Amino acid sequence: MFDLRRFTGHEMKISDKLMEFNWGFLLLLGVISSIGFAMLYSVADGSFSPWAMKQIVRFGIGSAIMIGVALIDLRVWMRVAYPLYAVALVLVAAVDIVGFKGMGAQRWLNLGIIQIQPSEIMKITILLALARYFHGLALDEVSRLRNLIVPALLIVVPVGLVVKQPDLGTAILLTVAGGVIFFAAGLAWRYFIIAGLAVLGAIPVIWERLHDYQRNRVFTFLDPERDPLGAGYHILQSKIALGSGGLFGKGFMAGTQAHLNFLPEKQTDFIFTMLGEELGFVGGIVLLSLYFAALMFSLNVAIQCRNQFGRLLALGVSVTLFFYVFINTAMVMGLLPVVGVPLPLVSYGGTAMLSLMFAFGLLMSCYIHRNLEIGRGGSNFW
């Protein structure tokens, strides 16, 4: 007979876990998302259709997913880490076979009732898989070369598939998040130095394999004025919009660059630019401060966890959140080349929203079960 306790833990009742759940953190995520709802409402010139209402519904669904994921015992997530990674890897591989193109890239799968971007799912499952692997190793075993083959493949295989789509932004996020977990697990510095030198040595090869538009993005990053009506158009319009916002902005729904359609992709990758134009420097700082609060909570969860799996998983979620925000905001300011990285919970997007809420559910599971001790050999949960 199905026993719910097998999926919610023996030590704590569901009511106890709901009391332990940090509702303030969910409220914080709701405030961040509400800023996104407002911006999407403004993008549509004062209409909840076609973006804002869908995003509100997705956040509602995502919140339910987050709570459900948080109530599941952390040892269950450790047991299913590899199967979930395998499913995500199959989905990413399937994109190359049956995926469909959108905006010049083949990144999506059509499952009939919904369309998903598997690379967004992979960002989360790779954290689970790496945390599960390194949880099973003692500190003195982490830096042994034979123990690095499996986790390296866990990163390299999906990164290779994602680059082929092509989706350089996601590939960077997967690599960086994986590298941080390697570091947190205790990998010796010499491996990072070797990896860094290898990347430097491979730059000429990587450059030759980049698509023309990706090279243009690098050239545009270095000199946006070289093609102001072509490759440099996005970033130049973004800078104009941000600069015109000033200290307090032009006012909600009063942004000229966005509403006169000078600013491209304003509901997705460049939504922070629209916020800066309408709400100004102060509005941008408020949003970044909210992200900072979410990041601090996430890092605090990692510090409090008494088991290695939860510690690494919480840190992975923290790093993913940080680089989402950093890359997107730096990109629209012209501090990084333009890549397809959305602003978390604010940019329009279904898979990105739901996968991130799932990740926050895992983070909350780490928080609820932070005092749980799990042996390196795994768990006797089942």
Side-chain angles (χ1 to χ4, degrees):
M1 183 176 178
F2 181 78
D3 186 357
L4 183 62
R5 290 177 301 173
R6 291 165 63 88
F7 291 90
T8 55
H10 297 295
E11 292 82 359
M12 298 176 67
K13 297 178 181 179
I14 294 179
S15 58
D16 294 333
K17 293 189 178 188
L18 288 172
M19 291 292 293
E20 191 70 17
F21 189 96
N22 193 308
W23 297 98
F25 182 66
L26 180 57
L27 177 61
L28 175 62
L29 299 182
V31 173
I32 295 174
S33 298
S34 296
I35 294 175
F37 305 153
M39 288 299 101
L40 293 173
Y41 178 85
S42 178
V43 170
D45 297 321
S47 174
F48 283 102
S49 177
W51 298 301
M53 184 53 66
K54 288 182 180 178
Q55 195 79 338
I56 292 172
V57 171
R58 287 165 178 166
F59 179 75
I61 296 172
S63 298
I65 290 174
M66 176 182 172
I67 295 171
V69 169
L71 296 180
I72 297 176
D73 194 287
L74 194 60
R75 291 167 292 185
V76 173
W77 292 118
M78 190 173 75
R79 292 293 295 268
V80 302
Y82 293 149
L84 288 177
Y85 173 88
V87 170
L89 187 62
V90 169
L91 291 174
V92 172
V95 170
D96 189 49
I97 303 172
V98 297
F100 67 92
K101 289 188 177 182
M103 299 174 60
Q106 187 166 319
R107 303 174 185 172
W108 290 267
L109 285 178
N110 190 340
L111 302 183
I113 57 174
I114 58 171
Q115 298 173 355
I116 64 170
Q117 188 175 351
S119 59
E120 292 291 337
I121 302 172
M122 177 54 71
K123 289 177 186 176
I124 309 307
T125 57
I126 197 172
L127 301 178
L128 279 166
L130 289 172
R132 172 67 182 90
Y133 181 84
F134 284 115
H135 174 86
L137 297 179
L139 183 60
D140 60 349
E141 297 175 325
V142 172
S143 295
R144 293 178 185 175
L145 189 59
R146 67 174 183 271
N147 292 332
L148 299 179
I149 297 174
V150 171
L153 289 175
L154 289 175
I155 298 175
V156 170
V157 174
V159 166
L161 292 171
V162 169
V163 167
K164 191 177 179 181
Q165 292 179 2
D167 188 352
L168 189 58
T170 295
I172 292 172
L173 280 173
L174 289 174
T175 304
V176 171
V180 168
I181 290 187
F182 270 79
F183 174 77
L187 184 64
W189 274 102
R190 65 178 181 273
Y191 289 105
F192 292 101
I193 296 173
I194 292 171
L197 293 174
V199 170
L200 289 175
I203 287 178
V205 177
I206 295 173
W207 180 258
E208 289 298 321
R209 291 181 175 273
L210 289 178
H211 294 267
D212 290 339
Y213 78 90
Q214 291 173 329
R215 292 178 191 162
N216 283 334
R217 285 180 176 178
V218 176
F219 288 134
T220 300
F221 165 67
L222 298 173
D223 182 16
E225 301 288 346
R226 64 186 291 271
D227 187 9
L229 298 179
Y233 181 80
H234 286 205
I235 191 60
L236 287 175
Q237 294 300 322
S238 179
K239 288 182 176 180
I240 292 171
L242 284 170
S244 65
L247 185 61
F248 297 106
K250 296 178 178 179
F252 182 59
M253 294 182 60
T256 54
Q257 294 298 116
H259 290 283
L260 294 177
N261 293 323
F262 288 105
L263 184 65
E265 305 302 328
K266 50 187 176 291
Q267 79 276 13
T268 53
D269 293 348
F270 284 84
I271 197 168
F272 185 77
T273 302
M274 183 172 180
L275 181 145
E277 183 184 22
E278 296 193 354
L279 304 182
F281 177 79
V282 172
I285 289 297
V286 168
L287 179 59
L288 292 178
S289 298
L290 293 172
Y291 280 128
F292 181 76
L295 178 63
M296 288 300 98
F297 174 80
S298 303
L299 290 174
N300 189 52
V301 172
I303 293 172
Q304 291 184 49
C305 274
R306 298 179 63 179
N307 61 83
Q308 181 75 330
F309 175 72
R311 188 179 304 118
L312 293 177
L313 181 56
L315 182 63
V317 174
S318 305
V319 168
T320 299
L321 173 64
F322 170 77
F323 278 102
Y324 258 119
V325 176
F326 173 74
I327 293 176
N328 179 274
T329 54
M331 173 190 74
V332 301
M333 295 178 193
L335 302 178
L336 287 177
V338 175
V339 292
V341 175
L343 191 61
L345 303 178
V346 176
S347 293
Y348 179 78
T351 309
M353 166 73 81
L354 296 180
S355 62
L356 195 57
M357 292 301 288
F358 180 87
F360 287 136
L362 292 174
L363 176 72
M364 194 57 64
S365 180
C366 295
Y367 176 76
I368 292 173
H369 303 97
R370 60 191 179 277
N371 294 320
L372 182 66
E373 295 185 2
I374 308 175
R376 285 193 298 110
S379 168
N380 295 323
F381 188 60
W382 283 346

